[in-house]
Amino acid sequence: MPNAILDPTGPLKTSAAKPAAPRAPRRASLKGARVGLLINTKTNARPFLEEVGRLLTERYGVTVTKRTKTNFAVPEPEDVIKEMAAESDVVVTGVGDCGSCSAAAAADGVVFEAAGVPVAVIVTDSFRATADAMAALRGAPGYKYATTAHPVAVLEEDAVKQRAAEALDDIVALITDEGPVGE
């Protein structure tokens, strides 16, 4: 008997489309906001996001809390999302510098938004397709995120800080009423 070939994607379902994932209300301003940084463990993600946090503190007087993902390649567990959502007015996460971490960052962003927390996800421009695919899979087609040039992992500290500074306006636009990038 020949070997069966299985389709790993499963059967195509033609049922009605699920409603789009909710998007959290944006803040009018970041002044005095509690910013949660969800840092993946990719090389240079920490200094990138710490520089974002420093710049937000300097410009807007925010308070920053940091949490490090245990696995950059998978979305955060629900209990972590709930804890961060309770202690943060906005969340900044990334840096998606590979396919799996970009997908996980997009997934985290969609889940935070559903929990009512505006999020700025940051991915490198080489992994836009991956972030787009995961966001669509999670019910958020067209999900907006910030990008920086690829790669980040190989940069020296000064270049990482420069990239963070260059992304800052897009990050702020994603989490405030200034509107998401590209709108």
Side-chain angles (χ1 to χ4, degrees):
M1 171 172 213
N3 292 332
I5 298 176
L6 302 176
D7 179 357
T9 62
L12 179 63
K13 295 180 182 173
T14 58
S15 61
K18 293 188 294 186
R23 190 161 174 255
R26 288 8 230 176
R27 290 183 58 89
S29 168
L30 286 180
K31 297 241 184 269
R34 299 173 302 156
V35 176
L37 300 179
L38 180 56
I39 303 166
N40 70 28
T41 55
K42 295 293 289 186
T43 303
N44 283 335
R46 179 170 296 282
F48 188 104
L49 289 179
E50 286 178 345
E51 180 66 4
V52 167
R54 187 190 72 74
L55 292 168
L56 291 174
T57 300
E58 184 179 279
R59 290 188 189 178
Y60 300 99
V62 304
T63 57
V64 174
T65 58
K66 302 173 202 169
R67 182 170 220 132
T68 302
K69 291 183 68 141
T70 56
N71 185 340
F72 66 80
V74 298
E76 278 298 275
E78 188 176 329
D79 61 325
V80 173
I81 298 288
K82 284 181 180 177
E83 287 173 20
M84 283 195 74
E87 66 189 26
S88 305
D89 298 316
V90 298
V91 171
V92 180
T93 190
V95 172
D97 200 31
C98 71
S100 58
C101 62
S102 297
D108 290 338
V110 172
V111 175
F112 273 116
E113 293 279 354
V117 179
V119 180
V121 172
I122 307 157
V123 300
T124 60
D125 54 11
S126 291
F127 293 100
R128 287 180 181 169
T130 304
D132 290 345
M134 179 54 80
L137 181 67
R138 292 290 179 122
Y143 185 76
K144 303 294 183 193
Y145 48 84
T147 59
T148 189
H150 183 79
V152 171
V154 300
L155 299 176
E156 297 294 325
E157 183 178 351
D158 288 344
V160 172
K161 288 181 177 183
Q162 180 62 37
R163 291 271 185 92
E166 291 167 358
L168 193 65
D169 288 343
D170 287 343
I171 292 165
V172 171
L174 285 165
I175 53 182
T176 65
D177 282 336
E178 293 179 37
V181 178
E183 285 192 353

